[in-house]
């Protein structure tokens, strides 16, 4: 499988467009993501958390990606480990299956975060793997990790500069007003562009990552609740205009997980509500794939990625 070097992908998109980094857990999601990327010629990142690897097994995930790529050979993508610790990162780096890994030591004190990140960077360099680190603490719930809003804190631009210099990471996830999951978006304060601007001034051309990049469509939440769900209707994601604007400030990778979960829940709840005598998994599965493709097409367009795979291939062969 031709793994596109993450360095090239980030270099090509900086300041122009952002790469959608989509968390996958199942065959339906992998297939749909590749179909959308191939069809719209948008470069993208397939990413897997330790939670997903524990569920589907790393081997199954890797082979699903390979199979999807065989089916959609025009797709341009990189593979990424999302929210790993040292052990997950080492395993992913050595496997040769990942273009990049994220070491999430953001809950450790500053110096410890640097030391933990630097250790992963050291190993990753030997394998030509990119390392994403995180500075600042996002609130919210992602997989089985939950962070109270009171403990969340924005990234400090001054710390960013020292962190990147000392830890040697290749990209940095910043906490600038987004949250994980669909539960903790009470904010309404939006993205903190003054912080982003300050970070960009201190780290020009350095690729930044936005976690919690889902929109959390309120209609979708209502539909889930109308079909028996009990989701928080005040949940709020990132406004599309804010996402687009953030690209000018060096945001190169936008993580998307929650929107795909909401879609999954809505499609399946509605299907089984409307056809209570059915137990067929193929029918709702097909609806999910079709709607996933449509949603990703919108996302790629929003992030300015549509058609960029063709430009990339021309430039890099
Ligand atoms: Zn995240």
């Amino acid at each position: 499988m031709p793994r596109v070097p993450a360095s090239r992908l980030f270099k090509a998109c900086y300041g122009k467009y952002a790469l959608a980094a989509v968390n996958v857990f199942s065959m339906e999601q992998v297939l749909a993501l590749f179909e959308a990327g191939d069809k719209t010629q948008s470069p993208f990142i397939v990413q897997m958390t330790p939670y997903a690897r524990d569920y589907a097994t790393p081997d199954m995930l890797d082979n699903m990606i390979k199979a999807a790529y065989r089916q959609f050979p025009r797709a341009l993508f990189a593979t990424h480990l999302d929210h790993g610790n040292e052990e997950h990162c080492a395993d992913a780096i050595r496997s040769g299956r990942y273009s990049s890994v994220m070491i999430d030591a953001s809950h450790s004190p500053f110096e410890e975060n640097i030391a933990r990140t630097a250790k992963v960077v050291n190993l990753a360099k030997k394998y030509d793997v990119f390392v994403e680190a995180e500075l600042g603490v996002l609130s919210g719930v992602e997989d089985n990790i939950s962070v109270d809003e009171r403990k969340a804190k924005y990234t400090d631009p001054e710390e960013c500069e020292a962190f990147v210099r000392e830890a040697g990471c290749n990209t940095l996830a910043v906490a600038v007003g987004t949250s994980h999951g669909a539960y903790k978006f009470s904010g309404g304060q939006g993205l903190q562009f003054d912080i982003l601007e300050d970070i960009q001034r201190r780290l020009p051309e350095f690729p930044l990552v936005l976690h919690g990049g889902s929109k959390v469509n309120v209609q979708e939440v209502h539909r889930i609740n109308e079909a028996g769900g009990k989701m928080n209707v005040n949940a709020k994601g990132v406004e599309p205009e804010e996402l687009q604007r953030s690209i000018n400030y060096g945001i190169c990778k936008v993580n998307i997980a929650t929107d795909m979960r909401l879609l999954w829940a809505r499609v399946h709840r509605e299907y089984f509500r409307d056809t209570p005598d059915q137990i067929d998994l193929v029918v709702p599965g097909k609806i999910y794939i079709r709607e996933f493709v449509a949603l990703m097409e919108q996302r790629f367009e929003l992030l300015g990625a549509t058609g960029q795979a063709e430009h990339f291939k021309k430039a890099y062969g």
Side-chain angles (χ1 to χ4, degrees), residues 195-263:
I195 299 180
L196 274 177
E197 195 177 2
D198 198 358
I199 296 172
Q200 190 184 36
R201 192 174 54 79
R202 291 163 190 273
L203 295 169
E205 305 290 316
F206 188 82
L208 302 174
V209 178
L210 200 63
H211 283 236
S214 283
K215 178 175 165 26
V216 188
N217 189 339
V218 69
Q219 269 88 29
E220 202 72 349
V221 176
H222 279 295
R223 283 175 73 174
I224 290 172
N225 289 350
E226 277 159 25
K230 273 192 184 155
M231 300 291 300
N232 175 8
V233 290
N234 297 317
K236 198 173 170 296
V238 191
E239 292 301 325
E241 302 73 33
E242 290 194 316
L243 272 189
Q244 284 177 325
R245 206 179 143 203
S246 75
I247 295 166
N248 304 327
Y249 296 89
I251 295 289
C252 289
K253 172 174 177 274
V254 174
N255 288 8
I256 301 169
T258 301
D259 281 348
M260 279 33 207
R261 287 188 166 121
L262 288 172
L263 180 66

Side-chain angles (χ1 to χ4, degrees), residues 43-180:
F44 62 92
I45 295 175
V46 199
Q47 63 182 20
M48 291 144 278
T49 56
Y51 193 55
R53 283 158 55 91
D54 188 48
Y55 172 59
T57 74
D59 205 36
M60 186 66 84
L61 288 166
D62 184 53
N63 280 293
M64 287 197 294
I65 291 168
K66 281 184 182 144
Y69 181 52
R70 274 198 294 275
Q71 202 159 328
F72 298 102
R74 291 167 63 243
L76 182 73
F77 67 99
T79 46
H80 178 74
L81 171 78
D82 191 23
H83 288 287
N85 60 20
E86 287 86 338
E87 222 172 288
H88 303 132
C89 286
D91 184 58
I93 291 166
R94 291 199 177 99
S95 75
R97 293 166 170 173
Y98 291 80
S99 321
S100 57
V101 296
M102 178 202 189
I103 166 73
D104 184 359
S106 60
H107 303 282
S108 299
F110 184 68
E111 293 298 335
E112 202 181 315
N113 189 352
I114 290 179
R116 292 180 61 193
T117 302
K119 217 174 120 193
V120 174
V121 169
N122 255 337
L123 179 68
K125 268 189 190 154
K126 294 181 193 141
Y127 293 81
D128 195 23
V129 169
F130 244 39
V131 177
E132 174 184 325
E134 180 167 324
L135 192 59
V137 180
L138 264 74
S139 72
V141 181
E142 184 171 57
D143 290 351
N144 45 357
I145 309 152
S146 148
V147 176
D148 195 292
E149 230 164 336
R150 283 165 301 181
K151 291 199 184 115
K153 68 172 172 61
Y154 291 137
T155 304
D156 177 343
E158 211 177 310
E159 282 188 353
C160 271
E161 211 179 334
F163 185 89
V164 169
R165 191 178 55 235
E166 289 174 40
C169 58
N170 307 101
T171 62
L172 188 66
V174 288
V176 289
T178 53
S179 329
H180 281 131

